[in-house]
Amino acid sequence: MWRMARPRKPLLSRDRIVEAAGALVDAEGLEAVSTRRLAAALGVSGPSLYNHFRTKDEILDAVADAVSARVDLSMFDGGQDWRAALHAWAHSYRDALADHPNIVPVLARGPGRRPAGLRLADAVFGAMTAAGWPAAQATRIGALMRYFILGSAVASFAGGFVDDRTAYDPADYPHLGQAHLLAERGREVDEGAFETGLAALLDGLALQYEALKETV
């Protein structure tokens, strides 16, 4: 009986391409992704990639959608009130982005036709309208939350300051005497800022929600 020999290398697939592209984006940024680099990393010829993706942008869209797919959406089906659900979702979304900040510019373009991104948008909008928010306001809430979460993942506020006391001369910056300490406390500062901003957003929305209920 004839048996087909096993290929020496795993067969090329969309998942393998996305995984390789994601690794390049994480390590070197969006500009590092090219068919030449991907083909070399996967041990295949460049044209073979086009059997799975037509363009580089399609590959980056798939990488972005793979990140969106890691965001937990179960809180919108678990009977939590809208505020608790948004709070839990925001943290899950930020955690996913924190592991892959270089892909944020692609995600910032919006979900387009990306399935996971569309499921995310659908879950948030559905939960808000089910809670009684008008459709227009539910849309604005989804947009507002996305602006805030994506913005928090673009860069570190604390990491923008250098660990050098002499960089912040009190004669020039009288209120930055402790700014050189921010770099070593980056995670604490950034996570605290995210939670502070998230609480402020949700507090404001809660006031709007109460006013809305009074008019019904």
Side-chain angles (χ1 to χ4, degrees), residues 68-93:
S68 294
R70 298 175 186 177
V71 181
D72 184 12
L73 300 176
S74 64
M75 66 285 297
F76 296 119
D77 299 322
Q80 296 188 54
D81 67 43
W82 66 267
R83 176 174 176 153
L86 280 183
H87 185 274
W89 168 72
H91 275 280
S92 178
Y93 199 176

PDB file of all heavy atoms in Angstrom, residues 68-93:
ATOM      1  N   SER A  68      -8.815  40.872  19.498  1.00  0.00           N
ATOM      2  CA  SER A  68     -10.196  41.130  19.924  1.00  0.00           C
ATOM      3  C   SER A  68     -10.866  39.860  20.438  1.00  0.00           C
ATOM      4  O   SER A  68     -11.687  39.908  21.366  1.00  0.00           O
ATOM      5  CB  SER A  68     -11.014  41.698  18.757  1.00  0.00           C
ATOM      6  OG  SER A  68     -10.547  42.974  18.374  1.00  0.00           O
ATOM      7  N   ALA A  69     -10.523  38.727  19.840  1.00  0.00           N
ATOM      8  CA  ALA A  69     -11.141  37.458  20.232  1.00  0.00           C
ATOM      9  C   ALA A  69     -10.754  37.052  21.653  1.00  0.00           C
ATOM     10  O   ALA A  69     -11.423  36.194  22.255  1.00  0.00           O
ATOM     11  CB  ALA A  69     -10.741  36.360  19.254  1.00  0.00           C
ATOM     12  N   ARG A  70      -9.703  37.649  22.193  1.00  0.00           N
ATOM     13  CA  ARG A  70      -9.272  37.316  23.558  1.00  0.00           C
ATOM     14  C   ARG A  70     -10.023  38.101  24.626  1.00  0.00           C
ATOM     15  O   ARG A  70      -9.853  37.849  25.817  1.00  0.00           O
ATOM     16  CB  ARG A  70      -7.773  37.585  23.690  1.00  0.00           C
ATOM     17  CG  ARG A  70      -6.930  36.728  22.754  1.00  0.00           C
ATOM     18  CD  ARG A  70      -5.476  37.101  22.812  1.00  0.00           C
ATOM     19  NE  ARG A  70      -4.715  36.366  21.796  1.00  0.00           N
ATOM     20  CZ  ARG A  70      -3.423  36.522  21.567  1.00  0.00           C
ATOM     21  NH1 ARG A  70      -2.737  37.372  22.290  1.00  0.00           N
ATOM     22  NH2 ARG A  70      -2.827  35.820  20.614  1.00  0.00           N
ATOM     23  N   VAL A  71     -10.825  39.062  24.195  1.00  0.00           N
ATOM     24  CA  VAL A  71     -11.572  39.876  25.150  1.00  0.00           C
ATOM     25  C   VAL A  71     -12.781  39.098  25.653  1.00  0.00           C
ATOM     26  O   VAL A  71     -13.566  38.573  24.865  1.00  0.00           O
ATOM     27  CB  VAL A  71     -12.021  41.201  24.503  1.00  0.00           C
ATOM     28  CG1 VAL A  71     -12.786  42.049  25.514  1.00  0.00           C
ATOM     29  CG2 VAL A  71     -10.817  41.965  23.953  1.00  0.00           C
ATOM     30  N   ASP A  72     -12.926  39.032  26.952  1.00  0.00           N
ATOM     31  CA  ASP A  72     -14.046  38.313  27.566  1.00  0.00           C
ATOM     32  C   ASP A  72     -15.340  39.099  27.357  1.00  0.00           C
ATOM     33  O   ASP A  72     -15.395  40.294  27.648  1.00  0.00           O
ATOM     34  CB  ASP A  72     -13.761  38.150  29.061  1.00  0.00           C
ATOM     35  CG  ASP A  72     -14.827  37.336  29.788  1.00  0.00           C
ATOM     36  OD1 ASP A  72     -15.664  36.699  29.112  1.00  0.00           O
ATOM     37  OD2 ASP A  72     -14.834  37.354  31.041  1.00  0.00           O
ATOM     38  N   LEU A  73     -16.362  38.443  26.865  1.00  0.00           N
ATOM     39  CA  LEU A  73     -17.677  39.065  26.676  1.00  0.00           C
ATOM     40  C   LEU A  73     -18.749  38.405  27.529  1.00  0.00           C
ATOM     41  O   LEU A  73     -19.927  38.761  27.440  1.00  0.00           O
ATOM     42  CB  LEU A  73     -18.087  38.985  25.198  1.00  0.00           C
ATOM     43  CG  LEU A  73     -17.157  39.662  24.183  1.00  0.00           C
ATOM     44  CD1 LEU A  73     -17.659  39.408  22.757  1.00  0.00           C
ATOM     45  CD2 LEU A  73     -17.048  41.162  24.442  1.00  0.00           C
ATOM     46  N   SER A  74     -18.335  37.459  28.361  1.00  0.00           N
ATOM     47  CA  SER A  74     -19.323  36.678  29.119  1.00  0.00           C
ATOM     48  C   SER A  74     -20.102  37.538  30.109  1.00  0.00           C
ATOM     49  O   SER A  74     -21.221  37.181  30.487  1.00  0.00           O
ATOM     50  CB  SER A  74     -18.626  35.536  29.862  1.00  0.00           C
ATOM     51  OG  SER A  74     -17.715  36.032  30.835  1.00  0.00           O
ATOM     52  N   MET A  75     -19.536  38.662  30.541  1.00  0.00           N
ATOM     53  CA  MET A  75     -20.222  39.510  31.513  1.00  0.00           C
ATOM     54  C   MET A  75     -21.514  40.106  30.961  1.00  0.00           C
ATOM     55  O   MET A  75     -22.393  40.504  31.711  1.00  0.00           O
ATOM     56  CB  MET A  75     -19.302  40.627  32.013  1.00  0.00           C
ATOM     57  CG  MET A  75     -18.901  41.658  30.975  1.00  0.00           C
ATOM     58  SD  MET A  75     -17.676  41.064  29.791  1.00  0.00           S
ATOM     59  CE  MET A  75     -16.257  40.739  30.823  1.00  0.00           C
ATOM     60  N   PHE A  76     -21.628  40.137  29.642  1.00  0.00           N
ATOM     61  CA  PHE A  76     -22.846  40.679  29.055  1.00  0.00           C
ATOM     62  C   PHE A  76     -23.964  39.640  28.993  1.00  0.00           C
ATOM     63  O   PHE A  76     -25.103  39.970  28.659  1.00  0.00           O
ATOM     64  CB  PHE A  76     -22.557  41.214  27.648  1.00  0.00           C
ATOM     65  CG  PHE A  76     -21.602  42.380  27.651  1.00  0.00           C
ATOM     66  CD1 PHE A  76     -20.386  42.308  26.990  1.00  0.00           C
ATOM     67  CD2 PHE A  76     -21.911  43.542  28.336  1.00  0.00           C
ATOM     68  CE1 PHE A  76     -19.507  43.381  26.997  1.00  0.00           C
ATOM     69  CE2 PHE A  76     -21.043  44.619  28.350  1.00  0.00           C
ATOM     70  CZ  PHE A  76     -19.835  44.539  27.679  1.00  0.00           C
ATOM     71  N   ASP A  77     -23.647  38.390  29.306  1.00  0.00           N
ATOM     72  CA  ASP A  77     -24.656  37.338  29.324  1.00  0.00           C
ATOM     73  C   ASP A  77     -24.911  36.819  30.731  1.00  0.00           C
ATOM     74  O   ASP A  77     -25.708  35.907  30.919  1.00  0.00           O
ATOM     75  CB  ASP A  77     -24.205  36.150  28.455  1.00  0.00           C
ATOM     76  CG  ASP A  77     -23.998  36.548  27.006  1.00  0.00           C
ATOM     77  OD1 ASP A  77     -24.788  37.361  26.500  1.00  0.00           O
ATOM     78  OD2 ASP A  77     -23.040  36.046  26.388  1.00  0.00           O
ATOM     79  N   GLY A  78     -24.217  37.377  31.712  1.00  0.00           N
ATOM     80  CA  GLY A  78     -24.279  36.808  33.051  1.00  0.00           C
ATOM     81  C   GLY A  78     -25.250  37.465  34.002  1.00  0.00           C
ATOM     82  O   GLY A  78     -25.215  37.205  35.214  1.00  0.00           O
ATOM     83  N   GLY A  79     -26.096  38.361  33.509  1.00  0.00           N
ATOM     84  CA  GLY A  79     -27.084  38.980  34.385  1.00  0.00           C
ATOM     85  C   GLY A  79     -26.552  40.149  35.188  1.00  0.00           C
ATOM     86  O   GLY A  79     -27.252  40.670  36.064  1.00  0.00           O
ATOM     87  N   GLN A  80     -25.314  40.592  34.914  1.00  0.00           N
ATOM     88  CA  GLN A  80     -24.785  41.749  35.631  1.00  0.00           C
ATOM     89  C   GLN A  80     -25.479  43.014  35.140  1.00  0.00           C
ATOM     90  O   GLN A  80     -25.920  43.095  34.001  1.00  0.00           O
ATOM     91  CB  GLN A  80     -23.281  41.896  35.392  1.00  0.00           C
ATOM     92  CG  GLN A  80     -22.433  40.763  35.929  1.00  0.00           C
ATOM     93  CD  GLN A  80     -20.953  41.090  35.831  1.00  0.00           C
ATOM     94  OE1 GLN A  80     -20.498  42.111  36.310  1.00  0.00           O
ATOM     95  NE2 GLN A  80     -20.198  40.199  35.195  1.00  0.00           N
ATOM     96  N   ASP A  81     -25.552  44.034  36.024  1.00  0.00           N
ATOM     97  CA  ASP A  81     -26.106  45.289  35.545  1.00  0.00           C
ATOM     98  C   ASP A  81     -25.118  45.930  34.564  1.00  0.00           C
ATOM     99  O   ASP A  81     -23.953  45.541  34.491  1.00  0.00           O
ATOM    100  CB  ASP A  81     -26.461  46.223  36.712  1.00  0.00           C
ATOM    101  CG  ASP A  81     -25.245  46.728  37.478  1.00  0.00           C
ATOM    102  OD1 ASP A  81     -24.221  47.103  36.857  1.00  0.00           O
ATOM    103  OD2 ASP A  81     -25.333  46.779  38.712  1.00  0.00           O
ATOM    104  N   TRP A  82     -25.599  46.889  33.808  1.00  0.00           N
ATOM    105  CA  TRP A  82     -24.813  47.436  32.699  1.00  0.00           C
ATOM    106  C   TRP A  82     -23.499  48.039  33.167  1.00  0.00           C
ATOM    107  O   TRP A  82     -22.475  47.909  32.506  1.00  0.00           O
ATOM    108  CB  TRP A  82     -25.644  48.465  31.931  1.00  0.00           C
ATOM    109  CG  TRP A  82     -25.974  49.703  32.728  1.00  0.00           C
ATOM    110  CD1 TRP A  82     -27.096  49.917  33.469  1.00  0.00           C
ATOM    111  CD2 TRP A  82     -25.173  50.879  32.861  1.00  0.00           C
ATOM    112  NE1 TRP A  82     -27.046  51.155  34.066  1.00  0.00           N
ATOM    113  CE2 TRP A  82     -25.874  51.776  33.696  1.00  0.00           C
ATOM    114  CE3 TRP A  82     -23.936  51.268  32.347  1.00  0.00           C
ATOM    115  CZ2 TRP A  82     -25.383  53.035  34.043  1.00  0.00           C
ATOM    116  CZ3 TRP A  82     -23.434  52.533  32.686  1.00  0.00           C
ATOM    117  CH2 TRP A  82     -24.154  53.398  33.527  1.00  0.00           C
ATOM    118  N   ARG A  83     -23.509  48.694  34.340  1.00  0.00           N
ATOM    119  CA  ARG A  83     -22.288  49.338  34.828  1.00  0.00           C
ATOM    120  C   ARG A  83     -21.240  48.299  35.205  1.00  0.00           C
ATOM    121  O   ARG A  83     -20.059  48.422  34.843  1.00  0.00           O
ATOM    122  CB  ARG A  83     -22.601  50.246  36.019  1.00  0.00           C
ATOM    123  CG  ARG A  83     -21.352  50.855  36.625  1.00  0.00           C
ATOM    124  CD  ARG A  83     -21.649  51.867  37.704  1.00  0.00           C
ATOM    125  NE  ARG A  83     -20.390  52.326  38.298  1.00  0.00           N
ATOM    126  CZ  ARG A  83     -20.224  53.505  38.856  1.00  0.00           C
ATOM    127  NH1 ARG A  83     -21.217  54.367  38.904  1.00  0.00           N
ATOM    128  NH2 ARG A  83     -19.061  53.836  39.381  1.00  0.00           N
ATOM    129  N   ALA A  84     -21.629  47.277  35.952  1.00  0.00           N
ATOM    130  CA  ALA A  84     -20.690  46.222  36.344  1.00  0.00           C
ATOM    131  C   ALA A  84     -20.151  45.499  35.120  1.00  0.00           C
ATOM    132  O   ALA A  84     -18.966  45.141  35.063  1.00  0.00           O
ATOM    133  CB  ALA A  84     -21.368  45.237  37.293  1.00  0.00           C
ATOM    134  N   ALA A  85     -21.020  45.286  34.138  1.00  0.00           N
ATOM    135  CA  ALA A  85     -20.591  44.602  32.918  1.00  0.00           C
ATOM    136  C   ALA A  85     -19.573  45.436  32.155  1.00  0.00           C
ATOM    137  O   ALA A  85     -18.543  44.919  31.695  1.00  0.00           O
ATOM    138  CB  ALA A  85     -21.799  44.300  32.036  1.00  0.00           C
ATOM    139  N   LEU A  86     -19.819  46.731  32.009  1.00  0.00           N
ATOM    140  CA  LEU A  86     -18.866  47.599  31.318  1.00  0.00           C
ATOM    141  C   LEU A  86     -17.534  47.642  32.049  1.00  0.00           C
ATOM    142  O   LEU A  86     -16.472  47.649  31.424  1.00  0.00           O
ATOM    143  CB  LEU A  86     -19.426  49.019  31.196  1.00  0.00           C
ATOM    144  CG  LEU A  86     -20.441  49.295  30.092  1.00  0.00           C
ATOM    145  CD1 LEU A  86     -20.815  50.780  30.094  1.00  0.00           C
ATOM    146  CD2 LEU A  86     -19.902  48.905  28.719  1.00  0.00           C
ATOM    147  N   HIS A  87     -17.575  47.665  33.370  1.00  0.00           N
ATOM    148  CA  HIS A  87     -16.346  47.705  34.168  1.00  0.00           C
ATOM    149  C   HIS A  87     -15.513  46.450  33.928  1.00  0.00           C
ATOM    150  O   HIS A  87     -14.299  46.526  33.673  1.00  0.00           O
ATOM    151  CB  HIS A  87     -16.697  47.853  35.649  1.00  0.00           C
ATOM    152  CG  HIS A  87     -15.504  48.024  36.537  1.00  0.00           C
ATOM    153  ND1 HIS A  87     -14.784  46.954  37.044  1.00  0.00           N
ATOM    154  CD2 HIS A  87     -14.877  49.139  36.994  1.00  0.00           C
ATOM    155  CE1 HIS A  87     -13.784  47.405  37.785  1.00  0.00           C
ATOM    156  NE2 HIS A  87     -13.811  48.722  37.770  1.00  0.00           N
ATOM    157  N   ALA A  88     -16.141  45.295  34.003  1.00  0.00           N
ATOM    158  CA  ALA A  88     -15.422  44.036  33.801  1.00  0.00           C
ATOM    159  C   ALA A  88     -14.905  43.922  32.372  1.00  0.00           C
ATOM    160  O   ALA A  88     -13.769  43.484  32.136  1.00  0.00           O
ATOM    161  CB  ALA A  88     -16.333  42.855  34.140  1.00  0.00           C
ATOM    162  N   TRP A  89     -15.736  44.311  31.414  1.00  0.00           N
ATOM    163  CA  TRP A  89     -15.329  44.242  30.011  1.00  0.00           C
ATOM    164  C   TRP A  89     -14.156  45.168  29.719  1.00  0.00           C
ATOM    165  O   TRP A  89     -13.224  44.796  29.011  1.00  0.00           O
ATOM    166  CB  TRP A  89     -16.522  44.592  29.126  1.00  0.00           C
ATOM    167  CG  TRP A  89     -16.154  44.825  27.703  1.00  0.00           C
ATOM    168  CD1 TRP A  89     -15.774  43.897  26.785  1.00  0.00           C
ATOM    169  CD2 TRP A  89     -16.130  46.083  27.025  1.00  0.00           C
ATOM    170  NE1 TRP A  89     -15.504  44.507  25.573  1.00  0.00           N
ATOM    171  CE2 TRP A  89     -15.723  45.838  25.692  1.00  0.00           C
ATOM    172  CE3 TRP A  89     -16.424  47.399  27.419  1.00  0.00           C
ATOM    173  CZ2 TRP A  89     -15.597  46.869  24.756  1.00  0.00           C
ATOM    174  CZ3 TRP A  89     -16.296  48.412  26.480  1.00  0.00           C
ATOM    175  CH2 TRP A  89     -15.885  48.142  25.169  1.00  0.00           C
ATOM    176  N   ALA A  90     -14.198  46.371  30.253  1.00  0.00           N
ATOM    177  CA  ALA A  90     -13.121  47.339  30.017  1.00  0.00           C
ATOM    178  C   ALA A  90     -11.782  46.793  30.496  1.00  0.00           C
ATOM    179  O   ALA A  90     -10.751  46.946  29.825  1.00  0.00           O
ATOM    180  CB  ALA A  90     -13.439  48.660  30.716  1.00  0.00           C
ATOM    181  N   HIS A  91     -11.781  46.146  31.643  1.00  0.00           N
ATOM    182  CA  HIS A  91     -10.536  45.577  32.160  1.00  0.00           C
ATOM    183  C   HIS A  91     -10.057  44.416  31.289  1.00  0.00           C
ATOM    184  O   HIS A  91      -8.856  44.283  31.023  1.00  0.00           O
ATOM    185  CB  HIS A  91     -10.721  45.121  33.606  1.00  0.00           C
ATOM    186  CG  HIS A  91     -10.522  46.229  34.596  1.00  0.00           C
ATOM    187  ND1 HIS A  91      -9.277  46.654  34.996  1.00  0.00           N
ATOM    188  CD2 HIS A  91     -11.415  47.009  35.250  1.00  0.00           C
ATOM    189  CE1 HIS A  91      -9.403  47.649  35.862  1.00  0.00           C
ATOM    190  NE2 HIS A  91     -10.693  47.886  36.036  1.00  0.00           N
ATOM    191  N   SER A  92     -10.985  43.577  30.828  1.00  0.00           N
ATOM    192  CA  SER A  92     -10.590  42.467  29.968  1.00  0.00           C
ATOM    193  C   SER A  92     -10.028  42.977  28.649  1.00  0.00           C
ATOM    194  O   SER A  92      -9.014  42.460  28.146  1.00  0.00           O
ATOM    195  CB  SER A  92     -11.797  41.559  29.705  1.00  0.00           C
ATOM    196  OG  SER A  92     -11.446  40.500  28.826  1.00  0.00           O
ATOM    197  N   TYR A  93     -10.661  43.991  28.095  1.00  0.00           N
ATOM    198  CA  TYR A  93     -10.216  44.572  26.827  1.00  0.00           C
ATOM    199  C   TYR A  93      -8.821  45.190  26.994  1.00  0.00           C
ATOM    200  O   TYR A  93      -7.923  44.970  26.176  1.00  0.00           O
ATOM    201  CB  TYR A  93     -11.232  45.626  26.393  1.00  0.00           C
ATOM    202  CG  TYR A  93     -11.198  45.998  24.928  1.00  0.00           C
ATOM    203  CD1 TYR A  93     -12.146  46.882  24.411  1.00  0.00           C
ATOM    204  CD2 TYR A  93     -10.256  45.483  24.049  1.00  0.00           C
ATOM    205  CE1 TYR A  93     -12.148  47.243  23.073  1.00  0.00           C
ATOM    206  CE2 TYR A  93     -10.248  45.835  22.709  1.00  0.00           C
ATOM    207  CZ  TYR A  93     -11.193  46.721  22.226  1.00  0.00           C
ATOM    208  OH  TYR A  93     -11.178  47.069  20.908  1.00  0.00           O
TER     209      TYR A  93
END
